[in-house]
Amino acid sequence: MRAWLFRISFSHLAQYPGRTLLGILGIALGTAVYLSISLAAASALQSFQVGVTAVAGQAEWRIQTPGAPLDESLFVKVRRLASVAAAAPAVESVLSLAGVHRGPVLLLGIDPFSERPFRDYEFAHAGVLSDTAWTEVLTRPDAVLVSGPLASLLGLKVGDGLAVMVGPRRRALRVAGIFTSRRGLYPLDGAVLLMDIGPAQELLDRVGGLDYIDVIGAGPPAEVQKRLQEALPPGVEVVRPSAQGSRTEGLVASYRLNLAVLSAIALFVGMFLIYQSVTLSVVRRRREIGLLRTLGMTPGQVLLLFLAEGLASGLVGGLLGLGLGVGLARGVLAVMTQNLSSLYMPVAAQEVGVQGGLLLQAWGLAVAATLLAAYLPAREAARTQLRAVWHREELEEIIESKAGLIFGWGLVALVLAGVGAYAKINDGPPWPGFVAAFLILLGFALFTPLAARLLGQGLQPVLRKILGPAGDLGCRYLAGAMSRSAVSIAALACALGMLIAVTVMIGSFRQTVNDWVSRAISGDIFFGPAVFSTAAYDQYLPPEVLAELRQDPDVADIYLYRCVRIPFKHRYILVIGGSFEVLARHGGLWFRQGDTRAIMERVGRVEGGGEEEAIMGQGPGKKDYTATMSHDDNRKPETENRKPSVVISEPLAETLHLQEGGTITLPTPSGPQTLTIAGVFYDYRTDGPSVWMDISLFRRFWRDTHLNAVRLYLKDPARVPQVQARLQERYGDRYRLLALSHRDLRNGILRIFDETFALTYALEGVAVVVAVFGIITTFLVLIRERERDLALLQAIGASRRQILGMVLVESGLAGGLSFGLGAACGSVLSLLLIFVINKQAFGWTIQLHFTPAIYWQTLILVLTLSLAAAAYPAWRAIQPHLAAILKEE
Amino acid sequence: MIELVEVSKVYHRGPEVIQALDHLNVQIDAGEFVAITGKSGCGKSTLLHIIGGLESVSRGKVLLDGCDLAQLREPARTEFRRDRVGVVFQSFNLLPLLTLEENVALPRVLQGASYDQARQEAAHWLGEVGLSGRQGHKPHQVSGGEMQRAAIARALINQPAVILADEPTGNLDSVTAAQILALFSHLHRQWGKTIILVSHAPEAGSAADRVLRLADGRLLA
Ligand SMILES: Nc1ncnc2c1ncn2[C@@H]1O[C@H](COP(=O)(O)OP(=O)(O)OP(=O)(O)O)[C@@H](O)[C@H]1O
Ligand SMILES: [Mg+2]
């Protein structure tokens, strides 16, 4: 019985190959997009995790100072502790290759004698690495060991030279040997260099400093940590090496979640296709169902019959989607690694790891989606009363009578969405916001039947006047064929809504960033090794360059900039030291409240300031500080007033619920420091929330004199091109330094912005393609089913023009309605995305900028598509074989 | 006057060739009441559709008042179907979406009449076929016979000279069938319509001026 039943279903699928195929394709596309995003994200993260694990090796504890080097002498102290079984010092930095290949490469400076218990197992394969290699590494300052994968990528062999960029400088290294990892675990997809720690410190300009000390404890872990902490000076942390990995995951979690949710939209639209396909099949087979039920088929079997039909599409579409998704994942990964690298951290994943779990998940999702979509019409079919003849018009009447009720449910969905939008979340992903977004889509989809009816009925008299019977009948068909067309209209409306919402959101965001660059970033020239990639915290401006810039006759003012990334409450934040006294003069930073100048002066007023100038060996600045400080309100002795001030970015304030006037306690190499928050400024950098303080304060806490970049303010801003050219000429060859004008900076920032949202656009595109499939099938099927109506109309004297006109009126109205609902839905959704989801996920305040272009563009697209989708089958239907069609039953 | 000259109609069903009409010669005068009978599949409907301009011939000519139907361009054919013939089909007759009244009014509307005018006329013709009071119903809400009568009302609304009816009494009980036949006779006598009626019923034969017997696409006797 079962097998026979399913054969009936499959023969139906085969009978309408076009419709079946489009349904399957819709599901396949949705699945493919979802899978490719999740595979790529997993691969990128895994590549990063592998790097973390490989570097951590057997280490149980890691000793480090947030955002600052450790004093080398600590190593000896740590190793001598009774609770320490083994310890190994390391410096590390991500450099870039300076040859034909320009990718990132991780340089690890290690102590070969301490390494054995840690990473020896991973890195130094005894059989491969000869003793002479080790000797060379220990004796030659430029000797490095190159990882097997990198060596084969670059075609390196022992004795070859290898050029790398260390910050702005080009350095020549020599390949002393090639190492492999027995478990195949490498950071950065294998781009790793090993070096003896001494030369590495010198190469990286960190003599006397360590990035971390790895420790294997002796005794119970809690005890080990306690002993270590006691022995170390304040500001030094003892953490688990794995903490780094989970913080990184937190960093990219929102990025990943956004993409995952967006990619699920295509699948959601695909569900409509399946729903519609099964509904059509139920409608078409109503007589068959009646007959089968009369012959003794149970309602359960009817349900099964149609579920099987949906399931078949889901299984096949899902499978197709898996193949397609794996294929797409490579491309997605390329875009994603680029995004992640420019936003968060160097990622070099190239290979997509095909994870069975993710495949299964995507497939399961596809099958579940189709089953859910097929269930509703299947249940409708199963409930049908036992009756031999079953008129479609009765079904239409049922739906028509329920249109109001369905609309009511739509309203309920919107109200719930409103509740979700106002729900406060404390931490973690903005789930209520996403649920609200889904409810908004659902709400507008549920408005469709009533809207179609009202539109059809409302326009009928008008179009009848203008277009005659064609307009009249077109409206009637729109209002009267809802069992078939409403779902497609709803699907298209949802896809368009998403497209419009995301476009408005991105457009607003882009405009906001653009305004922010002009308003909140001052300076004529941005100069340094790391103007864009804030991920490169250890790329420094050579000190001698600064000295020369100070003598430059064109330069009026110099703003110094130093940035470190520190772990803070389960996430990373940036701590930035800048010359606030310069900012106070020239502006820059856009505070959400308070007087900009007053805030800047308060932050720039640092007791014992001028340290910076002392360090840089430049005298005159000191006077300014004392001058500023003398304004201090009578120097009250209260500690409150003594607390230095900082400003924090809006995302930090939002995510940690901090406010102007409050305090923040930062871990610094000089121990925890409680700082007053003088202001909260708008900030749209994507690499993390940030705390800004005066550079002299930063230097006092971090005991660090490096600079990552400077901003130059020229005496004559019109001379930017000349000065830019001069800087490039003077330093371009010696160091790799970038000199960008304000406009270059803005363009660069917007380019990164556009790259970041390229995937988002692609995802939206796919959802629209799926919806377009829906519209095409709807009209193909709708018109085909109506061939007899059309033939009858012709037989009683309707002209071809009238018939085509009628079909075009109907499809035009359907397209127009999709657009109308989509535009309304999209506008509401864009507000949600801008003011709720983005705010909750990233803490950004985005100014709303409507982009009218997207509205008329989608209107034209939709009208053209729906008219074309209907015109073709209608044209075929009015070709002369009327009688044959009329005779068919 | 309707004149069929050496008309053949061939259908292809895959490799199979079906000769639905075979060198048929028929003349029907204006105002004549002709009944067509014959076994199932002998070509009755085909003949009717060809006369109604719904189907083209494979060979031969269909002349309407001396003018070749095949020579007409599509707009003229449409006008012909709309204004000069009224067709009642064997089974599928009414648009399911429209009420009986709207179905009946449709040819009038297509002709360009105002909606109110068409509605009024439709109500009148529905009354003529005994369906007054049911004009607001949709086809699936009425019986087969009522549908058939509504179809007749629709065939009449544009007051065509020729009425083609394909087994209009096929699904009906004998009383209703007799009523409908009486309606056709009335139209024929009172209004001088040309009526071509396909029917197996012997009563049809007696009501008609002439009976054409078809067998395998040919005229008998
Ligand atoms: N579109 C078509 N394609 C192929 N064959 C057809 C087509 N229409 C009719 N025929 C065949 O042509 C022949 C004549 O058909 P027609 O419908 O004229 O018969 P009929 O006399 O009206 O029969 P009935 O009394 O059953 O209605 C039949 O054999 C039929 O199978
Ligand atoms: Mg017939």
Tab-separated table of all heavy atoms in Angstrom, chain A residues 722-753:
chain	number	residue	atom	x	y	z
A	722	GLN	N	51.588	67.469	-2.081
A	722	GLN	CA	53.043	67.630	-2.118
A	722	GLN	C	53.690	66.920	-0.933
A	722	GLN	O	54.666	66.187	-1.088
A	722	GLN	CB	53.432	69.118	-2.092
A	722	GLN	CG	53.153	69.868	-3.380
A	722	GLN	CD	51.773	70.516	-3.375
A	722	GLN	OE1	50.816	69.946	-2.850
A	722	GLN	NE2	51.671	71.700	-3.962
A	723	VAL	N	53.148	67.151	0.263
A	723	VAL	CA	53.737	66.554	1.455
A	723	VAL	C	53.627	65.033	1.382
A	723	VAL	O	54.576	64.313	1.695
A	723	VAL	CB	53.048	67.096	2.727
A	723	VAL	CG1	53.621	66.420	3.971
A	723	VAL	CG2	53.206	68.610	2.807
A	724	GLN	N	52.464	64.572	0.940
A	724	GLN	CA	52.251	63.133	0.782
A	724	GLN	C	53.342	62.540	-0.117
A	724	GLN	O	53.976	61.545	0.211
A	724	GLN	CB	50.881	62.922	0.149
A	724	GLN	CG	50.117	61.747	0.689
A	724	GLN	CD	48.797	61.596	-0.057
A	724	GLN	OE1	48.275	62.549	-0.627
A	724	GLN	NE2	48.277	60.396	-0.063
A	725	ALA	N	53.552	63.202	-1.259
A	725	ALA	CA	54.540	62.714	-2.218
A	725	ALA	C	55.941	62.740	-1.606
A	725	ALA	O	56.733	61.809	-1.782
A	725	ALA	CB	54.489	63.563	-3.488
A	726	ARG	N	56.195	63.808	-0.860
A	726	ARG	CA	57.527	63.939	-0.266
A	726	ARG	C	57.777	62.816	0.758
A	726	ARG	O	58.822	62.198	0.790
A	726	ARG	CB	57.636	65.311	0.411
A	726	ARG	CG	59.035	65.714	0.800
A	726	ARG	CD	59.204	67.230	0.735
A	726	ARG	NE	58.153	67.958	1.456
A	726	ARG	CZ	58.082	68.036	2.792
A	726	ARG	NH1	58.964	67.424	3.537
A	726	ARG	NH2	57.125	68.732	3.355
A	727	LEU	N	56.778	62.561	1.593
A	727	LEU	CA	56.917	61.513	2.606
A	727	LEU	C	57.134	60.160	1.930
A	727	LEU	O	57.994	59.376	2.320
A	727	LEU	CB	55.669	61.435	3.476
A	727	LEU	CG	55.426	62.613	4.426
A	727	LEU	CD1	54.095	62.447	5.127
A	727	LEU	CD2	56.562	62.703	5.436
A	728	GLN	N	56.349	59.933	0.887
A	728	GLN	CA	56.438	58.661	0.186
A	728	GLN	C	57.836	58.484	-0.396
A	728	GLN	O	58.431	57.419	-0.318
A	728	GLN	CB	55.379	58.623	-0.925
A	728	GLN	CG	54.927	57.220	-1.287
A	728	GLN	CD	54.246	56.535	-0.101
A	728	GLN	OE1	53.301	57.056	0.481
A	728	GLN	NE2	54.748	55.380	0.273
A	729	GLU	N	58.339	59.588	-0.923
A	729	GLU	CA	59.647	59.527	-1.566
A	729	GLU	C	60.751	59.317	-0.530
A	729	GLU	O	61.649	58.507	-0.708
A	729	GLU	CB	59.885	60.842	-2.317
A	729	GLU	CG	61.046	60.790	-3.277
A	729	GLU	CD	61.298	62.163	-3.868
A	729	GLU	OE1	60.328	62.975	-3.934
A	729	GLU	OE2	62.440	62.456	-4.232
A	730	ARG	N	60.613	60.038	0.588
A	730	ARG	CA	61.680	59.977	1.578
A	730	ARG	C	61.705	58.618	2.303
A	730	ARG	O	62.759	58.078	2.577
A	730	ARG	CB	61.543	61.108	2.597
A	730	ARG	CG	62.801	61.235	3.451
A	730	ARG	CD	62.667	62.284	4.526
A	730	ARG	NE	62.301	63.599	4.009
A	730	ARG	CZ	61.801	64.564	4.787
A	730	ARG	NH1	61.613	64.351	6.078
A	730	ARG	NH2	61.491	65.742	4.287
A	731	TYR	N	60.502	58.084	2.625
A	731	TYR	CA	60.481	56.874	3.452
A	731	TYR	C	60.032	55.624	2.716
A	731	TYR	O	60.160	54.531	3.210
A	731	TYR	CB	59.569	57.094	4.663
A	731	TYR	CG	59.994	58.266	5.505
A	731	TYR	CD1	59.258	59.440	5.531
A	731	TYR	CD2	61.170	58.181	6.261
A	731	TYR	CE1	59.645	60.508	6.293
A	731	TYR	CE2	61.577	59.266	7.027
A	731	TYR	CZ	60.815	60.430	7.041
A	731	TYR	OH	61.229	61.491	7.795
A	732	GLY	N	59.478	55.836	1.519
A	732	GLY	CA	58.899	54.712	0.789
A	732	GLY	C	59.878	53.574	0.570
A	732	GLY	O	59.530	52.407	0.717
A	733	ASP	N	61.096	53.901	0.243
A	733	ASP	CA	62.068	52.857	-0.038
A	733	ASP	C	62.628	52.260	1.250
A	733	ASP	O	62.821	51.058	1.357
A	733	ASP	CB	63.241	53.428	-0.862
A	733	ASP	CG	62.830	53.614	-2.311
A	733	ASP	OD1	61.787	53.027	-2.676
A	733	ASP	OD2	63.522	54.329	-3.041
A	734	ARG	N	62.861	53.137	2.194
A	734	ARG	CA	63.501	52.688	3.423
A	734	ARG	C	62.558	51.797	4.240
A	734	ARG	O	62.933	50.775	4.769
A	734	ARG	CB	63.926	53.911	4.253
A	734	ARG	CG	65.434	54.121	4.218
A	734	ARG	CD	65.862	54.975	5.376
A	734	ARG	NE	65.419	56.360	5.232
A	734	ARG	CZ	65.376	57.216	6.255
A	734	ARG	NH1	65.728	56.815	7.457
A	734	ARG	NH2	64.993	58.459	6.078
A	735	TYR	N	61.312	52.242	4.379
A	735	TYR	CA	60.341	51.502	5.186
A	735	TYR	C	59.064	51.340	4.379
A	735	TYR	O	58.789	52.103	3.481
A	735	TYR	CB	59.978	52.275	6.451
A	735	TYR	CG	61.137	52.898	7.169
A	735	TYR	CD1	61.303	54.261	7.196
A	735	TYR	CD2	62.057	52.092	7.820
A	735	TYR	CE1	62.351	54.847	7.864
A	735	TYR	CE2	63.124	52.664	8.499
A	735	TYR	CZ	63.268	54.040	8.521
A	735	TYR	OH	64.314	54.601	9.188
A	736	ARG	N	58.280	50.362	4.775
A	736	ARG	CA	56.969	50.299	4.142
A	736	ARG	C	55.988	51.096	5.005
A	736	ARG	O	55.391	50.600	5.938
A	736	ARG	CB	56.487	48.854	4.023
A	736	ARG	CG	55.297	48.745	3.100
A	736	ARG	CD	54.619	47.413	3.227
A	736	ARG	NE	55.330	46.386	2.496
A	736	ARG	CZ	54.948	45.110	2.536
A	736	ARG	NH1	53.922	44.726	3.258
A	736	ARG	NH2	55.623	44.211	1.850
A	737	LEU	N	55.887	52.363	4.672
A	737	LEU	CA	54.994	53.242	5.430
A	737	LEU	C	53.941	53.784	4.484
A	737	LEU	O	54.209	54.013	3.314
A	737	LEU	CB	55.779	54.412	6.023
A	737	LEU	CG	56.825	54.048	7.071
A	737	LEU	CD1	57.628	55.282	7.454
A	737	LEU	CD2	56.160	53.456	8.289
A	738	LEU	N	52.762	53.984	4.991
A	738	LEU	CA	51.691	54.527	4.175
A	738	LEU	C	51.452	55.968	4.558
A	738	LEU	O	51.383	56.297	5.738
A	738	LEU	CB	50.390	53.759	4.431
A	738	LEU	CG	50.124	52.512	3.625
A	738	LEU	CD1	48.845	51.870	4.128
A	738	LEU	CD2	50.012	52.848	2.147
A	739	ALA	N	51.354	56.836	3.573
A	739	ALA	CA	50.966	58.216	3.836
A	739	ALA	C	49.657	58.450	3.107
A	739	ALA	O	49.612	58.460	1.885
A	739	ALA	CB	52.030	59.176	3.336
A	740	LEU	N	48.578	58.574	3.873
A	740	LEU	CA	47.264	58.706	3.254
A	740	LEU	C	46.685	60.073	3.538
A	740	LEU	O	46.805	60.586	4.651
A	740	LEU	CB	46.300	57.660	3.821
A	740	LEU	CG	46.694	56.198	3.688
A	740	LEU	CD1	45.623	55.340	4.343
A	740	LEU	CD2	46.852	55.831	2.230
A	741	SER	N	46.073	60.640	2.529
A	741	SER	CA	45.340	61.880	2.776
A	741	SER	C	44.015	61.503	3.434
A	741	SER	O	43.653	60.327	3.510
A	741	SER	CB	45.065	62.589	1.458
A	741	SER	OG	44.144	61.840	0.712
A	742	HIS	N	43.305	62.494	3.909
A	742	HIS	CA	42.019	62.230	4.540
A	742	HIS	C	41.102	61.519	3.564
A	742	HIS	O	40.379	60.594	3.919
A	742	HIS	CB	41.392	63.546	5.012
A	742	HIS	CG	40.303	63.352	6.014
A	742	HIS	ND1	39.014	63.087	5.647
A	742	HIS	CD2	40.319	63.345	7.365
A	742	HIS	CE1	38.271	62.949	6.741
A	742	HIS	NE2	39.050	63.091	7.798
A	743	ARG	N	41.168	61.933	2.299
A	743	ARG	CA	40.288	61.309	1.318
A	743	ARG	C	40.673	59.843	1.079
A	743	ARG	O	39.815	58.973	0.969
A	743	ARG	CB	40.314	62.081	0.003
A	743	ARG	CG	39.183	61.582	-0.874
A	743	ARG	CD	39.313	61.912	-2.326
A	743	ARG	NE	39.351	63.323	-2.615
A	743	ARG	CZ	40.128	63.826	-3.569
A	743	ARG	NH1	40.919	63.028	-4.261
A	743	ARG	NH2	40.126	65.102	-3.809
A	744	ASP	N	42.013	59.598	1.020
A	744	ASP	CA	42.472	58.204	0.864
A	744	ASP	C	41.934	57.349	1.996
A	744	ASP	O	41.488	56.221	1.795
A	744	ASP	CB	44.002	58.120	0.901
A	744	ASP	CG	44.632	58.853	-0.263
A	744	ASP	OD1	43.949	59.020	-1.283
A	744	ASP	OD2	45.807	59.258	-0.129
A	745	LEU	N	42.008	57.922	3.190
A	745	LEU	CA	41.578	57.171	4.361
A	745	LEU	C	40.091	56.838	4.254
A	745	LEU	O	39.670	55.704	4.454
A	745	LEU	CB	41.828	57.984	5.629
A	745	LEU	CG	41.482	57.240	6.908
A	745	LEU	CD1	42.558	56.238	7.251
A	745	LEU	CD2	41.279	58.203	8.070
A	746	ARG	N	39.323	57.855	3.893
A	746	ARG	CA	37.889	57.647	3.766
A	746	ARG	C	37.599	56.568	2.709
A	746	ARG	O	36.833	55.639	2.939
A	746	ARG	CB	37.202	58.943	3.369
A	746	ARG	CG	35.727	58.755	3.010
A	746	ARG	CD	35.270	59.840	2.069
A	746	ARG	NE	35.635	61.133	2.610
A	746	ARG	CZ	34.789	61.924	3.269
A	746	ARG	NH1	33.559	61.557	3.418
A	746	ARG	NH2	35.189	63.077	3.734
A	747	ASN	N	38.268	56.696	1.560
A	747	ASN	CA	38.028	55.704	0.514
A	747	ASN	C	38.418	54.307	0.974
A	747	ASN	O	37.730	53.334	0.687
A	747	ASN	CB	38.805	56.070	-0.756
A	747	ASN	CG	38.245	57.333	-1.384
A	747	ASN	OD1	37.123	57.748	-1.049
A	747	ASN	ND2	38.999	57.954	-2.255
A	748	GLY	N	39.537	54.249	1.671
A	748	GLY	CA	39.992	52.950	2.160
A	748	GLY	C	38.989	52.349	3.125
A	748	GLY	O	38.651	51.168	3.041
A	749	ILE	N	38.500	53.178	4.021
A	749	ILE	CA	37.537	52.687	5.012
A	749	ILE	C	36.266	52.224	4.310
A	749	ILE	O	35.720	51.161	4.612
A	749	ILE	CB	37.222	53.797	6.043
A	749	ILE	CG1	38.430	53.980	6.964
A	749	ILE	CG2	35.985	53.447	6.851
A	749	ILE	CD1	38.317	55.131	7.923
A	750	LEU	N	35.807	52.999	3.341
A	750	LEU	CA	34.584	52.611	2.636
A	750	LEU	C	34.797	51.355	1.787
A	750	LEU	O	33.891	50.555	1.617
A	750	LEU	CB	34.068	53.767	1.766
A	750	LEU	CG	33.543	54.957	2.574
A	750	LEU	CD1	33.050	56.056	1.652
A	750	LEU	CD2	32.422	54.532	3.518
A	751	ARG	N	36.028	51.187	1.281
A	751	ARG	CA	36.300	49.977	0.508
A	751	ARG	C	36.200	48.745	1.405
A	751	ARG	O	35.564	47.740	1.055
A	751	ARG	CB	37.687	50.048	-0.132
A	751	ARG	CG	38.001	48.877	-1.063
A	751	ARG	CD	39.378	49.022	-1.704
A	751	ARG	NE	40.417	49.341	-0.718
A	751	ARG	CZ	40.963	48.473	0.116
A	751	ARG	NH1	40.589	47.213	0.077
A	751	ARG	NH2	41.883	48.843	0.976
A	752	ILE	N	36.812	48.844	2.578
A	752	ILE	CA	36.717	47.728	3.522
A	752	ILE	C	35.251	47.492	3.888
A	752	ILE	O	34.775	46.359	3.955
A	752	ILE	CB	37.550	48.014	4.789
A	752	ILE	CG1	39.033	48.030	4.427
A	752	ILE	CG2	37.280	46.960	5.855
A	752	ILE	CD1	39.939	48.361	5.576
A	753	PHE	N	34.526	48.588	4.055
A	753	PHE	CA	33.100	48.498	4.374
A	753	PHE	C	32.365	47.708	3.284
A	753	PHE	O	31.605	46.781	3.564
A	753	PHE	CB	32.523	49.913	4.474
A	753	PHE	CG	31.080	49.945	4.841
A	753	PHE	CD1	30.692	50.007	6.169
A	753	PHE	CD2	30.099	49.914	3.868
A	753	PHE	CE1	29.363	50.031	6.514
A	753	PHE	CE2	28.766	49.940	4.197
A	753	PHE	CZ	28.393	49.991	5.527
